[in-house]
Every structure is written in structure tokens, then in C-alpha cells.
Amino acid sequence: MKFTDLNLPEQVLQGIAYTGFTECTPIQEKALPPALAGKDVAGQAQTGTGKTAAFLISLFTRLLKQEKVGTEHHPRALILAPTRELVVQIEKDAQQLGKHTGFTIQAIYGGVDYMKQKNALKEGVDIVIGTPGRLIDYLKQKVYSLKNIEALVIDEADRMFDMGFIADLRFILRRLPPFDERQNLMFSATLNQRVMELAYEFMNVPEKVAVTPEQMTAERVEQVIYHVSRKEKFPLLLGLLRKEGMERTMIFVNTKREAEFLFDRLNVNDFPARVISGDVEQRKRLRILEDFKSGKLPIMIATDVASRGLHIDGVSHVINYDLPQDAEDYVHRIGRTARAGAEGKAISLADEDGALYLEDIHEYIKERIPVEWAEDELFVHDYIRSKPRPKPAAKPHGRAPAPRHGKPAGKHTEKPAEKSAEKPAGEGEAGEKKRRRRPQKKKPAGEGQPQ
């Protein structure tokens, strides 16, 4: 199906042409007809198949065909996403697809531009794309209102549950107009029972559409796994980086500590890399992403904060340095490559711990990842070992002694008590009195009396 076959407004068709799209992807072909007809839709498709464009095209079409209600410039549409990176990606796609619609689009997320985002909402926007936390913050301050919302989109709803956002999500949904007075769209890589319960609670008889649920991973991703001991993982990683000639590579790890370890060792061995994790400041994260997208940065190390929603063209390889503990995250990670019809390769390193998660991953993706055995020459043992990072200073228990007579705290000004002055428990005046008060044992009658 081509987009020109659908009854789309001219402004939307111009945006589609601007992005270079011509034919619908499978999820778009299934989801767009009911959505354009005004029905609520819950869509499931593997990552990188065009879910974002599907709900944006539906949303723009509805807002263009439906007259605005009221005179106040409150948002007409709300798009909710679980992570800042996903919000930024959706906003970028929305600006491109909605280039000719004339709608004002604003991203709302934490970590940056608090007053700038607040002032933008006060001035009035048509479409708000945001994470629940900051949206609720502004909502409680009455910076904006949700009373005029005509369309709601929830992206990656399953991730909302995983990240503990469900209470915040319900808080927002209960402040929207009644579900039968707005259109509701929900798209995700997985629609489990919890997500569908939410759909039936806040949507108006949603039509469920799914694409290739029997195949969870993208077709053009070449998957391979190496079984390797923990101490040989880094030598093998270096060998793979040298052999494969990876131009743009994402390396996924499970912990911030492992990310820092790889960052230090890769950079000291002439493999420029940067880290994206949940505690990296937002502006820095965006800079790293831009450098990676532009090709300035060849390797990006990431935790699962970057496993969903990021559309980066030309990612040639994804490496699972740590296998994910959640099988769904494996699908999302390797979906960062082979996007938009391109080809890519996903390499996983299974050490003693990672091997424990393999069975769940195989069961979830409904296939077994092909195993390759690394030859000895693939391991690099003459690499430079980075210096270990200094451990943070241990915090002292309790409060430090207060300064006395103007001397700095920590300097002992009191003389140590002499040992002779110390008395064990029970000694001294109190102890003597206690002994004197100790009752005497009474002698039995007749004992000690003369016979």
C-alpha cells in the first residue's frame, strides 16, 4: 500500500514526501485504515518497523480534519513515552512529518530547559510529547490543561510498566476528557496482558493489530553468539572490533560500572567510545547521540536506556557485551541495527552469568541464536590495561567531632584517658554501693547454734 492510496490531507502527504517515505510498512498498512477512520488502535510490531510514523500520520490527519474546540491555546494532542531519548526521537520525526501542518510541537522531559519548556506551554502548543514526570510537574502547577485533548498516544506502554511509570500514567489519563470523546492510540513492540488491561480501561473498544508476532527479531539482523569466559570477554571484544571493521557500533552492558570499565579500556586502546546511561546529564547524552549519529563517534556504550526508540541510521553492529536479563530487551537492543530495510549484525558474548539468560531469550524470540567458536588468534592479549578508577572515599560513621578552640575538626585536642583511671564495669563508688546492697544469704534455722 502506498501513502497516496490513503485519504490523507495534502499537508500530511507533503510531510511524508519530505521524509522520503513512499510505501507503508506492514504495521502502517494494518494500523492506518482503522486509525484514520477514527477508531482506537492498539498496535504491536517489532522495533524499527514504522510505529512512530503510523501514529503521527493518524494524529496529524485527525487534528487537521477536526475543528479546534475552545479559544484557549491548550494542547490538542498528547504523546506519552517512557524515556527522554524516545521523546526527543518522536519530536524529531513529528517536526519532519508535520512540517507543513502548521502545528506547534513541544517536547517535555526532565534534565534540560525547565523554564524554557514551561514558558512554551504557557504560550500554547498544539501537540505535547513528553515523559510522565515533568508533564505532571507542570500540570500540578496549572501551567497547561488537558481538558482539550482530542488525541492520545501511548508509545512503548510495556516499558512504562517496567520502569514503574504506571501510577504516573494513570494520574495523567484520569485528567483527560472521557475516552469516548478522544481518539486513543497505543503502539509497542509487545502488548502483554498488563498493557491490554490498561488499554481496555482507558480506550474506547480498541482494535488490536499485530505484525509478524511469530518472529520477534528483525529479518535483516544477522545474529551470532560467542561463549566465552568472563576474563576473556574484553580480549575477544577487541579482536572482533579489529576484525569486523565496525564503522558505527553500539555496545550494550547491564551496569554503569561495566560501562565505565569498557569506556576506560577501549579509549586507552585507540577505540574512541562514549557512555550513555541513566545518570549521565541530559545535555551530555544528547551531545553524545548527535556525535554518534553524525559519525564523529564510532562506538557508543549504553545501558538499556538506549535500547528503545532511538532511530540511528547506519548502525552496522550491535554487541551485547552483557546478555540482558530480560529477554524482551534483547529484541530491542538488536533492533538498533538493520533499520529501515538496511542490514546489520548482532554479536552477543555469553559468559558464565550471561549463559543463564540464554534459554529465556531463545524461548522469547522463538529461535536459537547461531553459535560461533572464536579461534585463538581472534583474542587480543597484548592490549593496554587502563588504570583502575579510584574508589570513592568511605564516609565516616556518625558525626565528626566539632572543632574546639578554633582548631580544625579531626585534630584530637583531648588527652587520652589514662588507663589507671579507667575502671571496669561494677568498680568505683556505684559498684561498691551495689555490692554493699547485695542481700546476705540467710543461714538455715539452727545452723551455728551451740548444741
Side-chain angles (χ1 to χ4, degrees):
M1 180 186 292
K2 293 185 177 182
F3 288 105
T4 51
D5 298 333
L6 299 167
N7 185 23
L8 297 176
E10 183 60 31
Q11 301 96 313
V12 176
L13 287 173
Q14 289 176 356
I16 293 171
Y18 175 76
T19 58
F21 299 154
T22 54
E23 296 182 352
C24 297
T25 64
I27 185 60
Q28 292 166 356
E29 189 170 340
K30 285 193 174 185
L32 280 173
L36 293 173
K39 296 180 180 179
D40 286 8
V41 174
Q44 175 183 353
Q46 60 201 31
T47 185
T49 54
K51 299 188 300 293
T52 303
F55 65 67
L56 287 175
I57 290 171
S58 302
L59 187 148
F60 290 144
T61 300
R62 181 179 179 87
L63 296 186
L64 286 169
K65 289 184 176 181
Q66 190 165 300
E67 290 187 9
K68 181 182 175 182
V69 178
T71 56
E72 296 177 301
H73 201 175
H74 289 304
R76 298 180 63 191
L78 176 64
I79 302 174
L80 297 171
T83 65
R84 301 169 185 177
E85 284 72 23
L86 186 52
V87 167
V88 172
Q89 184 64 55
I90 295 172
E91 184 200 24
K92 181 181 177 182
D93 294 342
Q95 295 288 2
Q96 292 178 344
L97 279 170
K99 184 178 178 67
H100 302 279
T101 61
F103 294 133
T104 308
I105 302 167
Q106 179 63 44
I108 302 294
Y109 56 93
V112 293
D113 300 330
Y114 187 89
M115 290 307 300
K116 183 178 178 180
Q117 293 177 6
K118 184 176 181 178
N119 292 334
L121 285 175
K122 281 184 176 180
E123 292 173 6
V125 296
D126 295 304
I127 301 169
V128 171
I129 308 165
T131 53
R134 183 161 285 193
L135 284 172
I136 292 175
D137 186 2
Y138 292 141
L139 191 62
K140 288 181 176 179
Q141 296 181 47
K142 297 183 179 179
V143 176
Y144 71 106
S145 171
L146 295 173
K147 65 181 181 180
N148 293 337
I149 294 296
E150 303 167 33
L152 167 73
V153 177
I154 302 175
D155 197 18
E156 301 289 4
D158 56 342
R159 193 66 170 167
M160 294 277 195
F161 280 93
D162 296 340
M163 297 179 69
F165 286 147
I166 191 59
D168 290 344
L169 186 60
R170 290 180 185 276
F171 180 91
I172 293 173
L173 296 181
R174 286 171 180 151
R175 282 153 181 80
L176 296 174
F179 61 81
D180 56 347
E181 295 180 11
R182 64 177 194 261
Q183 185 177 23
N184 306 280
L185 305 174
M186 180 184 291
F187 286 83
S188 179
T190 55
L191 290 176
N192 53 36
Q193 184 178 355
R194 295 181 304 173
V195 174
M196 290 312 299
E197 286 176 356
L198 183 73
Y200 293 133
E201 182 179 356
F202 291 101
M203 299 175 74
N204 187 21
V205 193
E207 184 167 331
K208 185 176 179 180
V209 296
V211 175
T212 60
E214 70 279 356
Q215 183 178 359
M216 300 302 297
T217 57
E219 292 181 7
R220 293 179 177 267
V221 179
E222 179 189 350
Q223 301 177 65
V224 62
I225 190 166
Y226 291 92
H227 288 274
V228 61
S229 68
R230 190 178 297 108
K231 66 180 181 180
E232 291 183 323
K233 279 174 71 173
F234 187 75
L236 178 57
L237 175 65
L238 278 185
L240 290 169
L241 289 172
R242 292 179 181 178
K243 175 188 175 185
E244 297 276 344
M246 307 176 186
E247 296 179 359
R248 192 170 298 170
T249 303
M250 294 185 72
I251 302 177
F252 282 100
V253 294
N254 291 343
T255 65
K256 173 194 169 188
R257 182 178 178 183
E258 197 72 65
E260 291 174 345
F261 166 82
L262 284 182
F263 171 79
D264 292 338
R265 288 210 166 174
L266 285 175
N267 281 282
V268 81
N269 284 279
D270 298 325
F271 284 98
R274 300 293 295 278
V275 173
I276 281 191
S277 62
D279 59 347
V280 174
E281 194 265 330
Q282 185 63 27
R283 293 180 187 275
K284 187 175 180 181
R285 281 157 70 172
L286 293 176
R287 268 198 316 271
I288 294 171
L289 282 173
E290 285 304 314
D291 288 346
F292 188 65
K293 289 179 180 179
S294 66
K296 294 180 182 177
L297 179 68
I299 300 173
M300 186 168 73
I301 306 164
T303 58
D304 281 311
V305 72
S307 67
R308 298 199 185 200
L310 293 183
H311 178 71
I312 302 172
D313 292 326
V315 175
S316 60
H317 292 76
V318 167
I319 298 178
N320 286 307
Y321 190 79
D322 296 327
L323 276 173
Q325 299 177 15
D326 188 336
E328 291 184 18
D329 287 333
Y330 175 82
V331 175
H332 294 298
R333 286 182 180 185
I334 70 172
R336 298 312 99 203
T337 186
R339 297 181 70 85
E343 295 183 351
K345 189 170 184 178
I347 301 172
S348 299
L349 308 182
D351 60 12
E352 297 87 338
D353 293 330
L356 301 175
Y357 312 131
L358 263 180
E359 196 60 37
D360 288 342
I361 293 173
H362 288 157
E363 184 177 349
Y364 183 75
I365 66 176
K366 299 179 177 63
E367 60 178 309
R368 300 191 73 82
I369 305 170
V371 176
E372 285 193 14
W373 300 102
E375 300 293 337
D376 291 341
E377 56 267 21
L378 190 55
F379 293 87
V380 177
H381 293 287
D382 59 345
Y383 60 88
I384 302 172
R385 286 162 173 76
S386 57
K387 295 180 180 179
R389 295 195 176 202
K391 293 182 179 179
K395 295 182 179 180
H397 295 288
R399 294 184 178 180
R404 300 186 61 182
H405 307 296
K407 295 185 179 181
K411 298 283 183 77
H412 295 288
T413 56
E414 295 178 304
K415 293 182 180 180
E418 296 181 7
K419 291 184 178 180
S420 59
E422 297 178 356
K423 294 186 179 182
E427 295 293 337
E429 185 179 350
E432 291 172 2
K433 288 181 179 179
K434 188 174 181 181
R435 282 203 301 271
R436 286 201 298 270
R437 289 196 297 268
R438 192 174 295 162
Q440 298 285 334
K441 288 185 179 181
K442 293 184 180 181
K443 296 182 180 180
E447 184 180 338
Q449 300 293 328
Q451 299 294 326

